[in-house]
Amino acid sequence: MTLRNILLGATMLCAATTPAIAFAQDTAEAPASDTDYGNDIIVTATKRSQTLQDTPIAVSVTSAADIQNAQIRDLIDLQSAVPSLRVSQLQSSANTNFIIRGFGNGANNPGIEPSVGVFIDGVYRSRSAAQIGDLPNVERIEVLRGPQSTLFGKNASAGVISIVTQKPQYEFGGSVEASYGNYDAFVIKGDITGPISDKIAFSLGGNYNRRDGYARDVNLDTDVNDRNRWGVRGQLLFEPTEALTIRLIGDYDKIDENCCIAGNVIAGPTVAITNALAGGPSVDANNPFSYRVYNNFLSSNLIKNYGGSGQIDYDLGNMSLTSITAYREVRSNTNQDSDFTSADLIGQKSDDTAINTFTQELRLASDFDGPINFLIGGYYFNEKIKQHSQIYFGDDFRDYGNALIQAASGGALSVPVLEAALGAPSGSFFRAGDGMDEYYRMKNTAWSIFGTVDFDVTDRLTLTLGGNYTKDKKRFTTDVTSTDVFSGINLDAAAYTPFRQALLIGGGVDPATAAFLAANPTLTLPDGSSANPLSGLKAFQFLPPFLNVPNSVEPGKTNDGDFSYSARLAYKLTDTVNVYATYATGFKASSVNLSRDSRPLASDLPAIIAGGLGTANLVSGTRFAAPEESTVYEAGLKAQWSVAALNLAVFKQSIKGFQSNVFTGTGFALANAGKQSTWGLEFDGSVRPVQGLNLSLAVTWLDPKYDSFVASAFGDLSGKKPAGIPDLSVSMGGTYTYEFAGGTKAIAHVDYQYESPTQIVDGLSGFPASVAQNLKREVNQLNASFTVALTNGFELGVWGRNLTNAQYLTTIFNAVAQAGSVSGYPSQPRTYGVTGRFKF
């Protein structure tokens, strides 16, 4: 087996319901059969053909037939087929988070590249908004598990999702597909391909996907969480000579949806206040799965994603040269009622983000008959990010803040009293329209040199060595202004005496306030020191002044370099059984906290204060997280027979400096864990007991822990299990194909996904640890389809996803500005429909 076989080619002629283990980066192949349920997977290159078992890399492959039969409609659905993968959509249509083997981050915060890299036809998609398009004519989806550095120029510390679409064909053909389902869901897809000349072929595909919302906003009397997206994609394939191939791809897709609802998981004491302000129910208390929400404006998501790429492959005889050039743009404009109540607390919480990305990859691969083969490549990445964010108080926030302050002071204080005593203009605290106006900029340039060498030690034993040197530089700037007057006032002890005197000397103090002042000249702490009675009001300073970057202490730069490497031994025990052992490292560069929770590092805070840069109420936090460095030890067995196949992997994977990105409701707490590690076992197999029947099973068992995480957002988590990672994940399924006389086929498919109960988040601010520990997620999801395929190319089928109507929370977080309340994103309900398809 040569490296070129692994990197340059694969035709996955397998439709095993549960993914098998394989890898192929680029392909020049015929489409996979949608009715072949055998176990042969052929890996091909220009001169060689290998069975899948000869590729000793742990990758789950979901074929075109799997996608069709299981009605995998986007990447969120993919996790039902790949138990090592978790996918969740969070607070907007632009945000999708990918986790492999328990490792993953990056969604939502534009300054963070994901630990799981996503590639579409060899082109890296750096942010989740660019990863969820409804691609036409997907041939297969590969999920590479573990750090990937020597096979990809763009280093990925946790894994890779590689989506491969079909190349243009020289035989005229295409397909049209239309689906209709509950919630008035309507999906139409089409593609056409064929020759322009004997050396040029084309393909053109498009899709339209709309659905009414499956949730109801009772306050606004409208459906929410709808779907409204469309896209087009065109390709040209030039083959001017037998040695030269050029593939050009251009695409554009658009999303315009209201998403995403958050249910009320825990109703705290503030619910009584928001109910009063709303004049009725402000939330559906403690029932996140009613899919009935109360907002005062619709959340909007307008996302445009477009770009183009060119791939050139040149056959040099016993070597091949490949170049992939790409430029992409993402435009995302979202606005959300982020307090998730019908009271007008947050009047606007918007993010207008522009991401421009240019990538260039160049690699040379050998295909010698001798014992040594190699690949060497170079990769360049250039990205510019601009984000304009705004968060403003709504019309009800002043009354809401007044109620909070009165409750905190036992009725002694109020917003007007505080304004007068602190010398602020009347009506200035929590004024509607005040808040934060934020501009963030980041430029990221990176390059890498990578390669691998294969040594055929014997006819059965192959040693593979690989390396990747990456250099990554980031520059970032912020221009953030807070107009929240109350948050800009220093409430420390030094401010209390003049505050008290102003109230007493000014006269007119009501009896309750006078009693409060008389009883609290100071407060005495257990250690004997005095404390300011106003300190409790700091919790209501929601949007404090922001120290912008760069400044004289913080340059707003990161500069990282790393050498990652891998070593693998693969041994062919028999013609049908292979084993391998791998040691590999991976790397992800520093990530930047482009959110309103960005704060100076604790190590920089003294110099900032000494330099006179400190703003009121400035505290430490993170501007950026240091790099991730991952390591994996893995051993695997791969076997393939005429009627069955199995793949087994045992591993220990760890990441030093794991970049924890915790959603705080309006921003993100970014921090490095000292080390996170996972022991794991992965099994997947398929068997064909009788002609036409294919049964499959995939199981992932994980035992993760934080080896060290002292400075998390929830205190010291060292030695504890990371949240959101189930111990056991299982996918099982079966597909039966029956062929009638005359060629008509009936295809029945069923699959089941299970995830054992797991804690959803590591913690919740202001709550005892036991509260988060008792909030768990368990997944039991059943999907099925039945299709009749006629000989004239027409197919008609019915399908259902989540037929058990499994309900679970994808994530939870502290409700925005509502101490004691918790919000969460509920899973999607049952969906079903009918699909007609015509292939020609």
Side-chain angles (χ1 to χ4, degrees):
M1 178 190 68
T2 68
L3 182 66
R4 189 179 180 197
N5 291 117
I6 300 174
L7 289 175
L8 297 182
T11 301
M12 300 306 172
L13 301 179
C14 173
T17 306
T18 303
I21 293 183
F23 169 66
Q25 183 169 340
D26 310 328
T27 134
E29 56 295 328
S33 167
D34 58 1
T35 57
D36 175 16
Y37 293 95
N39 294 298
D40 289 335
I41 299 180
I42 306 301
V43 180
T44 62
T46 53
K47 293 183 179 179
R48 298 198 180 202
S49 176
Q50 301 276 343
T51 60
L52 177 61
Q53 71 187 58
D54 290 332
T55 57
I57 301 174
V59 176
S60 298
V61 178
T62 305
S63 71
D66 302 334
I67 294 169
Q68 177 179 311
N69 292 326
Q71 285 293 312
I72 295 173
R73 308 181 79 79
D74 55 35
L75 288 182
I76 297 174
D77 296 334
L78 184 61
Q79 61 189 325
S80 65
V82 184
S84 293
L85 174 71
R86 281 201 62 246
V87 187
S88 60
Q89 181 172 288
L90 301 176
Q91 71 260 35
S92 80
S93 299
N95 297 310
T96 305
N97 200 27
F98 304 97
I99 298 173
I100 294 178
R101 289 178 171 174
F103 299 99
N105 53 23
N108 318 309
N109 193 337
I112 303 179
E113 285 188 65
S115 298
V116 176
V118 174
F119 293 76
I120 299 179
D121 288 325
V123 176
Y124 177 61
R125 303 292 185 97
S126 63
R127 297 298 185 276
S128 59
Q131 299 165 356
I132 58 175
D134 293 345
L135 292 169
N137 222 354
V138 172
E139 188 167 283
R140 69 185 180 277
I141 301 174
E142 304 162 356
V143 179
L144 289 79
R145 305 188 291 270
Q148 305 297 324
S149 59
T150 60
L151 296 178
F152 290 85
K154 188 61 179 175
N155 224 325
S157 57
V160 162
I161 299 173
S162 179
I163 302 172
V164 179
T165 68
Q166 185 182 345
K167 290 182 177 181
Q169 304 294 304
Y170 285 97
E171 182 178 350
F172 182 76
S175 67
V176 177
E177 176 184 316
S179 295
Y180 183 78
N182 59 332
Y183 303 108
D184 201 23
F186 179 68
V187 178
I188 185 168
K189 295 182 179 182
D191 65 271
I192 188 171
T193 186
I196 296 176
S197 70
D198 59 350
K199 297 184 181 298
I200 303 174
F202 80 96
S203 67
L204 181 65
N207 65 85
Y208 175 71
N209 187 341
R210 67 155 305 279
R211 183 199 64 208
D212 291 343
Y214 58 77
R216 186 74 179 173
D217 192 312
V218 179
N219 186 56
L220 298 175
D221 192 27
T222 186
D223 292 332
V224 288
N225 272 39
D226 67 349
R227 178 153 288 186
N228 182 22
R229 53 185 64 174
W230 62 270
V232 293
R233 194 169 194 260
Q235 298 188 60
L236 286 175
L237 181 67
F238 299 87
E239 296 181 309
T241 69
E242 291 184 359
L244 178 62
T245 299
I246 302 171
R247 184 184 184 187
L248 303 179
I249 303 174
D251 64 90
Y252 179 96
D253 59 73
K254 182 177 180 180
I255 297 174
D256 186 1
E257 301 170 349
N258 67 72
C259 183
C260 302
I261 66 163
N264 194 269
V265 180
I266 297 176
T270 60
V271 171
I273 303 174
T274 56
N275 286 347
L277 292 172
S282 59
V283 296
D284 191 345
N286 303 311
N287 189 7
F289 299 112
S290 68
Y291 300 102
R292 293 167 60 88
V293 297
Y294 296 78
N295 294 309
N296 56 282
F297 67 88
L298 277 178
S299 297
S300 60
N301 301 264
L302 180 60
I303 302 140
K304 300 176 183 178
N305 167 45
Y306 46 89
S309 66
Q311 177 171 332
I312 302 173
D313 293 290
Y314 192 72
D315 189 346
L316 301 172
N318 54 10
M319 291 188 292
S320 61
L321 183 67
T322 298
S323 169
I324 303 177
T325 307
Y327 178 78
R328 303 206 59 82
E329 294 189 2
V330 178
R331 299 292 181 265
S332 173
N333 192 318
T334 64
N335 188 23
Q336 187 177 54
D337 185 6
S338 58
D339 60 82
F340 302 111
T341 74
S342 56
D344 189 11
L345 305 184
I346 304 299
Q348 178 176 338
K349 195 275 180 186
S350 62
D351 297 291
D352 189 355
T353 306
I355 304 175
N356 299 343
T357 307
F358 172 80
T359 59
Q360 173 64 56
E361 181 173 356
L362 185 67
R363 62 179 184 264
L364 179 68
S366 72
D367 190 19
F368 302 134
D369 292 330
I372 298 178
N373 275 280
F374 69 88
L375 176 141
I376 186 170
Y379 185 83
Y380 175 75
F381 176 84
N382 185 294
E383 184 166 76
K384 296 179 180 178
I385 298 175
K386 296 180 179 180
Q387 177 165 298
H388 180 204
S389 299
Q390 296 173 306
I391 182 169
Y392 297 141
F393 295 136
D395 291 338
D396 291 335
F397 203 93
R398 179 175 170 84
D399 291 336
Y400 178 70
N402 186 61
L404 293 177
I405 288 172
Q406 286 185 319
S409 64
L413 301 177
S414 66
V415 167
V417 167
L418 287 173
E419 287 172 338
L422 296 172
S426 177
S428 61
F429 289 178
F430 309 124
R431 180 170 48 203
D434 283 357
M436 270 189 166
D437 195 40
E438 311 158 59
Y439 291 89
Y440 305 99
R441 303 287 187 272
M442 188 176 82
K443 182 178 181 180
N444 181 195
T445 57
W447 58 267
S448 67
I449 298 174
F450 62 97
T452 59
V453 179
D454 289 343
F455 299 91
D456 291 334
V457 181
T458 69
D459 291 342
R460 292 185 175 272
L461 179 64
T462 299
L463 171 65
T464 300
L465 302 175
N468 178 313
Y469 179 78
T470 295
K471 188 70 173 177
D472 186 287
K473 295 182 179 181
K474 293 182 175 73
R475 298 176 61 96
F476 59 97
T477 63
T478 69
D479 183 8
V480 179
T481 303
S482 176
T483 55
D484 177 2
V485 177
F486 183 67
S487 292
I489 293 177
N490 186 349
L491 295 177
D492 285 335
Y496 175 60
T497 298
F499 160 79
R500 184 174 185 272
Q501 291 301 111
L503 287 180
L504 292 174
I505 295 172
V509 177
D510 63 88
T513 302
F516 174 79
L517 294 170
N520 295 281
T522 60
L523 292 180
T524 302
L525 298 177
D527 63 3
S529 62
S530 62
N532 174 12
L534 299 182
S535 292
L537 302 182
K538 291 182 180 181
F540 309 128
Q541 294 183 310
F542 298 109
L543 302 171
F546 193 95
L547 177 62
N548 282 306
V549 175
N551 54 58
S552 60
V553 177
E554 301 174 291
K557 298 179 182 178
T558 66
N559 189 348
D560 302 313
D562 180 82
F563 179 72
S564 302
Y565 54 92
S566 64
R568 177 182 299 109
L569 278 172
Y571 186 73
K572 180 178 288 189
L573 292 173
T574 70
D575 291 341
T576 58
V577 180
N578 287 4
V579 294
Y580 68 91
T582 299
Y583 174 78
T585 65
F587 171 77
K588 188 178 82 165
S590 297
S591 289
V592 179
N593 193 0
L594 298 185
S595 85
R596 57 187 60 90
D597 286 332
S598 174
R599 300 287 185 269
L601 298 173
S603 58
D604 290 333
L605 197 56
I608 288 171
I609 295 174
L613 298 175
T615 62
N617 306 317
L618 181 65
V619 296
S620 64
T622 56
R623 297 291 194 190
F624 60 90
E628 293 181 352
E629 296 182 351
S630 57
T631 301
V632 66
Y633 299 85
E634 181 174 325
L637 180 147
K638 308 176 74 174
Q640 186 170 325
W641 301 279
S642 60
V643 296
L646 67 86
N647 307 279
L648 180 67
V650 180
F651 62 89
K652 182 180 182 181
Q653 186 171 328
S654 62
I655 294 183
K656 292 182 179 179
F658 178 73
Q659 296 171 359
S660 170
N661 182 45
V662 177
F663 181 48
T664 63
T666 61
F668 303 92
L670 178 63
N672 286 106
K675 183 180 179 182
Q676 179 181 337
S677 63
T678 299
W679 281 96
L681 174 68
E682 295 167 330
F683 168 86
D684 70 73
S686 61
V687 61
R688 186 174 56 190
V690 297
Q691 181 66 34
L693 176 62
N694 195 81
L695 303 175
S696 59
L697 173 67
V699 179
T700 297
W701 173 82
L702 301 174
D703 182 21
K705 72 173 181 177
Y706 287 122
D707 301 82
S708 173
F709 196 0
V710 177
S712 84
F714 311 108
D716 189 355
L717 297 177
S718 301
K720 297 183 179 180
K721 176 184 175 181
I725 307 173
D727 294 337
L728 182 65
S729 300
V730 179
S731 294
M732 62 182 70
T735 302
Y736 182 67
T737 301
Y738 182 80
E739 185 169 348
F740 297 91
T744 297
K745 295 180 181 180
I747 305 169
H749 168 85
V750 62
D751 63 79
Y752 174 74
Q753 177 193 7
Y754 171 76
E755 291 181 7
S756 61
T758 185
Q759 185 176 327
I760 300 174
V761 293
D762 288 322
L764 292 165
S765 298
F767 286 89
S770 59
V771 174
Q773 291 167 1
N774 290 329
L775 291 171
K776 296 182 181 294
R777 174 182 63 240
E778 181 179 5
V779 178
N780 289 276
Q781 182 169 313
L782 179 68
N783 310 306
S785 69
F786 179 77
T787 302
V788 175
L790 305 180
T791 55
N792 60 2
F794 181 73
E795 300 176 5
L796 182 65
V798 294
W799 53 269
R801 291 196 60 82
N802 191 19
L803 291 173
T804 55
N805 205 28
Q807 295 178 338
Y808 55 91
L809 294 168
T810 59
T811 193
I812 56 176
F813 53 93
N814 291 92
V816 176
Q818 299 164 73
S821 290
V822 175
S823 301
Y825 294 110
S827 58
Q828 293 188 16
R830 177 191 299 113
T831 56
Y832 49 86
V834 59
T835 296
R837 184 181 300 107
F838 179 66
K839 298 180 180 180
F840 57 91

